[in-house]
């Protein structure tokens, strides 16, 4: 039996012991003796005699937040997004992280809501989904790819969507209806509009008119209450997806959140200007903030490089962002408390991710559409009851496409194969790797590099990789439909940042002779692509196709 198979068996047995109360009188559950048993024999024993009468399959509580960089207490240290920050108040995120596999260096495939969520929910990368903006629906522009909630639904789960999971509207044909078992719930906007970019709402006004994230959390709690009896009677399983809308613009939150972030605790960004060697094509014009909210539009900003906002406004915005995160932390706490009080915690996998990172004035940027670390590094954690209860942290490079195969494997559903090079006609496959081995070996490398990309001007794509030490980016000419391919010979800009000496990614070393060997090596990794970067890319099932 391999160490990985042993880890999975140990996981199953710990769950059985927790739920059924089995003790040492069940001899084949003794961890010490597990290695002496044949894997297939043990699996048959578990599947045939123990699992069905005991508890069935694990449920999934699938949590997400919008535009949330890893600005929570659990990430404090070298993986925190900013060197200057107030004391972060996120007790519920920190508690969940302390019982989870905390993926401290997880990277999105494209730092924009629709492409990032589409990649995570289909397990495929943007050059496969062909989703690069907020407008494309993968089933129309690429293939009829099975989604994560759809796959759980196909396997008998009650699949329920609340809040923002897919990017709605055109990008998912309004939340991809085929993925869900029940009518979708969005809640309603209160105290949010396009007039201001942030607002603190007096708590007294929220008693009868709650903010949307409170509505979403309440609906999730009610859903868990409605499911609890049938779940505990092994009559159903659930895949419950809850997507918080904050801290997306406008940063709206209860006024009481301000107490956690005094004005004198807020600082301006350490690097408020772009690198002097930043390629022109790499600059994002801050359109989301500058062109949509009345208070910012009144400043008549152009979006030109290094055009900055007034210092006081920057301070206010950074404070408001922190407050919005603390607000959803409170809502997370409500849901997790309900899960425990209903007796569902021991049979429920809990995953959380923020759909991409975010700039709060660093590099002179606001928003997410860049190839910097701040835009592509996002929080992700996975709680597996009985296995990660003591908390496991890893700094190995992981990607958002890894979550689909990881959750499926953890829940005990049929394994999903790796996609072939051209998977447009393959409904079910993935382009990542399961992260379950990190539970047993959190320091074992998963891949040489994490891959992300960002479009510019419809015919340019910035491809970037993050290795243990470097970020390397090439902005190249890109051919859209029907080819969707980069032209590596037509490079419009190159970036290279050394994180050992420059964690803020301010000094572009792409033109430095002393980094020429590193640049050549990184360029090779980028051009070879993600398949060559994943270590030990072998899976129990063969690649389909």
């Amino acid at each position: 039996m391999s160490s990985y198979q042993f880890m999975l068996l140990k996981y199953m047995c710990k769950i059985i012991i927790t739920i059924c109360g089995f003790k040492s009188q069940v001899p084949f559950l003794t961890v010490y003796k597990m290695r002496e048993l044949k894997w297939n024999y043990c699996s048959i024993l578990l599947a045939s005699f123990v699992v069905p009468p005991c508890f069935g399959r694990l449920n999934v509580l699938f949590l997400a937040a919008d535009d949330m960089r890893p600005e929570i207490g659990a990430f404090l240290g070298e993986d925190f997004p900013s060197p200057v920050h107030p004391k972060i108040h996120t007790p519920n995120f920190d508690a969940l992280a302390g019982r989870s596999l905390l993926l401290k260096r997880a990277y999105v495939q494209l730092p924009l809501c629709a492409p990032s969520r589409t990649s995570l929910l289909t397990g495929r990368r943007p050059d496969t989904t062909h989703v690069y903006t907020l407008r494309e629906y993968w089933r129309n522009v690429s293939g009829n790819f099975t989604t994560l909630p759809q796959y759980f639904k196909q396997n008998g789960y009650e699949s329920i969507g609340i809040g923002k999971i897919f990017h709605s509207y055109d990008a998912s044909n309004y939340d991809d209806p085929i993925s869900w078992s029940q009518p979708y719930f969005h809640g309603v906007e209160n105290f949010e509009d396009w007039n201001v970019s942030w607002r603190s709402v007096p708590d007294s006004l929220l008693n009868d008119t709650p903010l949307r994230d409170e509505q979403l959390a309440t609906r999730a709690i009610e859903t868990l209450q409605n499911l609890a009896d049938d779940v505990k009677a092994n009559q159903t399983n659930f895949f419950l997806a809850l997507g918080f809308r904050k801290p997306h613009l406008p940063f709206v939150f209860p006024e009481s959140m301000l107490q956690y972030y005094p004005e004198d605790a807020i600082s301006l960004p350490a690097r408020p200007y772009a690198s002097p060697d930043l390629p022109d094509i790499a600059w994002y014009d801050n359109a989301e903030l500058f062109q949509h909210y009345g208070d910012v539009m009144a400043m008549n900003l152009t979006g030109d490089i290094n055009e900055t906002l007034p210092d006081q406004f920057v301070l206010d915005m950074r404070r408001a962002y922190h407050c919005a995160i603390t607000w959803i932390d409170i809502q997370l706490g409500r849901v997790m408390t309900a899960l425990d009080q209903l007796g569902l915690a021991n049979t429920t996998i809990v995953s959380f991710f923020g759909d991409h990172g975010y700039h709060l004035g660093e590099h002179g940027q606001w928003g997410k559409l860049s190839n910097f670390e701040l835009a592509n590094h996002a929080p992700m954690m996975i709680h597996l009851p009985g296995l990660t209860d003591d908390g496991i942290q890893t700094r190995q490079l992981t990607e958002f496409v890894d979550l689909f195969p990881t959750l499926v494997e953890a829940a005990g559903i049929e394994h999903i194969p790796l996609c072939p090079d051209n998977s447009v006609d393959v409904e079910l496959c993935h382009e990542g790797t399961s992260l379950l081995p990190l539970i047993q070996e959190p320091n074992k490398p998963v891949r040489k590099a994490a891959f992300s990309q960002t479009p510019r001007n419809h015919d340019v794509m910035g491809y970037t990789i993050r290795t243990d030490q470097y970020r390397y980016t090439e902005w190249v000419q890109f051919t859209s439909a029907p080819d969707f391919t980069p032209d590596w010979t037509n490079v419009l800009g190159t970036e290279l940042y050394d994180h050992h000496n420059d964690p803020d990614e301010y000094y572009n070393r792409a033109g430095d002779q002393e980094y020429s060997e590193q640049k050549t090596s990184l360029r090779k990794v980028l051009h070879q692509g993600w398949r060559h970067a994943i270590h030990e890319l072998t899976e129990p099932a063969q690649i389909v196709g």
Side-chain angles (χ1 to χ4, degrees):
M1 183 177 4
S2 71
S3 61
Y4 178 44
Q5 290 170 332
F6 172 69
M7 183 273 293
L8 286 176
L9 180 58
K10 180 180 176 183
Y11 170 40
M12 293 172 66
C13 291
K14 287 183 73 174
I15 292 294
I16 292 168
I17 292 169
T18 299
I19 305 305
C20 299
F22 287 154
K23 304 299 181 182
S24 58
Q25 67 265 26
V26 184
F28 71 90
L29 290 180
T30 304
V31 171
Y32 175 79
K33 292 184 178 293
M34 287 180 194
R35 288 189 183 273
E36 300 175 11
L37 297 174
K38 294 290 186 180
W39 169 246
N40 289 337
Y41 178 58
C42 241
S43 299
I44 292 170
L45 285 175
L46 284 167
S48 300
F49 300 109
V50 180
V51 177
C54 181
F55 66 94
R57 295 178 297 187
L58 293 175
N59 306 294
V60 179
L61 178 58
F62 184 78
L63 304 168
D66 207 2
D67 285 16
M68 181 174 162
R69 67 192 201 176
E71 198 120 332
I72 58 178
F75 278 84
L76 286 171
E78 58 187 318
D79 300 305
F80 200 76
S82 173
V84 291
H85 57 83
K87 181 180 179 180
I88 302 300
H89 185 80
T90 51
N92 296 297
F93 277 117
D94 299 341
L96 178 59
R99 301 194 303 275
S100 299
L101 172 63
L102 180 62
L103 303 156
K104 301 198 79 172
R105 291 202 292 180
Y107 293 90
V108 304
Q109 270 42 76
L110 197 158
L112 185 65
C113 300
S116 176
R117 290 167 183 260
T118 297
S119 283
L120 183 147
L121 290 161
T122 64
R124 312 196 199 198
R125 298 164 190 270
D127 284 347
T128 300
T129 66
H130 303 160
V131 175
Y132 304 108
T133 71
L134 302 180
R135 296 182 296 274
E136 300 97 353
Y137 180 34
W138 71 94
R139 297 191 196 272
N140 292 338
V141 298
S142 188
N144 188 33
F145 303 148
T146 301
T147 71
L148 179 59
Q150 181 185 359
Y151 190 55
F152 274 86
K153 177 185 172 184
Q154 290 172 348
N155 280 273
Y157 280 66
E158 194 73 6
S159 177
I160 304 162
I162 298 172
K164 185 173 180 180
I165 299 300
F166 295 98
H167 189 82
S168 194
Y169 312 110
D170 294 342
S172 61
N173 190 28
Y174 293 85
D175 305 298
D176 197 45
I178 196 175
S179 289
W180 310 107
S181 308
Q182 298 184 12
Y184 206 90
F185 181 81
H186 280 289
V188 296
E189 291 182 341
N190 290 322
F191 303 102
E192 296 186 33
D193 54 48
W194 297 101
N195 293 323
V196 293
S197 53
W198 73 274
R199 173 180 289 151
S200 60
V201 182
D203 291 54
S204 60
L205 299 181
L206 299 174
N207 294 330
D208 298 322
T209 315
L211 295 176
R212 183 155 54 170
D213 281 329
E214 182 176 353
Q215 300 169 42
L216 300 178
T218 298
R219 181 59 170 251
I221 293 168
E222 293 170 349
T223 301
L224 290 171
Q225 291 169 340
N226 293 334
L227 290 167
D229 288 344
D230 287 345
V231 170
K232 288 186 286 188
N234 296 329
Q235 295 177 3
T236 191
N237 288 97
F238 65 79
F239 180 95
L240 175 57
L242 168 60
F244 295 114
R245 301 298 302 230
K246 295 305 168 200
H248 194 286
L249 285 167
F251 306 151
V252 178
F253 52 87
E255 193 173 61
S256 57
M257 298 299 102
L258 292 169
Q259 67 181 303
Y260 299 109
Y261 303 101
E263 286 189 75
D264 60 4
I266 310 301
S267 302
L268 294 169
R271 298 285 188 186
Y273 297 102
S275 164
D277 297 313
L278 183 75
D280 290 344
I281 193 67
W283 177 257
Y284 167 61
D285 64 5
N286 301 320
E288 181 182 15
L289 177 63
F290 286 12
Q291 299 177 18
H292 289 90
Y293 295 92
D295 55 344
V296 182
M297 292 172 65
M299 301 179 193
N300 295 316
L301 300 169
T302 64
D304 291 341
I305 190 167
N306 282 334
E307 180 182 46
T308 59
L309 293 163
D311 284 355
Q312 187 57 52
F313 188 85
V314 173
L315 292 169
D316 290 342
M317 287 288 284
R318 289 169 69 87
R319 186 187 190 196
Y321 185 85
H322 300 319
C323 289
I325 289 179
T326 294
W327 171 234
I328 62 170
D329 179 86
I330 291 172
Q331 304 313 311
L332 170 71
R334 294 177 58 214
V335 175
M336 295 302 296
T337 297
L339 188 74
D340 186 54
Q341 292 177 344
L342 290 167
L344 300 174
N346 287 335
T347 54
T348 302
I349 298 167
V350 182
S351 68
F352 170 78
F353 68 92
D355 61 354
H356 44 68
Y358 204 80
H359 289 264
L360 291 170
E362 298 92 352
H363 300 284
Q365 301 271 233
W366 291 88
K368 52 262 192 179
L369 265 177
S370 84
N371 269 332
F372 286 112
E373 183 86 0
L374 280 164
N376 290 285
H377 179 212
M380 187 155 65
M381 60 188 77
I382 308 167
H383 168 67
L384 301 177
L387 191 59
T388 65
D389 294 348
D390 295 329
I392 301 168
Q393 295 189 7
T394 179
R395 297 195 69 249
Q396 299 309 311
L397 298 168
T398 57
E399 298 180 316
F400 272 37
V401 286
D402 299 334
L403 189 57
F404 195 148
T406 301
L407 289 181
V408 167
E409 193 167 353
I413 301 177
E414 185 178 353
H415 169 79
I416 298 175
L418 191 71
C419 292
D421 288 336
N422 184 350
S423 64
V424 67
D425 295 322
V426 181
E427 292 190 7
L428 182 64
C429 64
H430 71 84
E431 295 180 343
T433 189
S434 172
L435 301 177
L436 289 188
L438 288 173
I439 293 171
Q440 189 176 21
E441 299 179 280
N443 296 320
K444 184 177 181 179
V446 176
R447 50 172 53 85
K448 289 188 293 186
F451 289 70
S452 306
Q453 62 192 94
T454 301
R456 286 286 186 271
N457 305 330
H458 306 291
D459 60 354
V460 174
M461 189 69 70
Y463 289 91
T464 186
I465 56 171
R466 176 64 157 92
T467 68
D468 186 61
Q469 181 173 352
Y470 301 103
R471 175 169 295 283
Y472 178 71
T473 304
E474 288 187 7
W475 296 89
V476 299
Q477 204 71 37
F478 183 79
T479 302
S480 297
D483 298 322
F484 299 100
T485 56
D487 179 359
W488 296 114
T489 67
N490 193 348
V491 181
L492 305 178
T494 307
E495 299 171 73
L496 172 58
Y497 302 101
D498 184 346
H499 272 252
H500 284 188
N501 302 317
D502 179 26
D504 296 331
E505 297 183 337
Y506 186 71
Y507 299 102
N508 183 6
R509 303 297 189 182
D512 290 4
Q513 186 61 34
E514 62 181 295
Y515 282 87
S516 60
E517 290 185 11
Q518 292 93 330
K519 181 179 177 181
T520 299
S521 176
L522 291 165
R523 190 170 193 265
K524 180 179 179 181
V525 174
L526 177 65
H527 290 192
Q528 284 183 332
W530 62 269
R531 291 181 189 274
H532 293 271
I534 298 179
H535 294 299
E536 300 179 9
L537 189 51
T538 58
E539 310 231 358
Q542 295 296 315
I543 296 177
V544 298

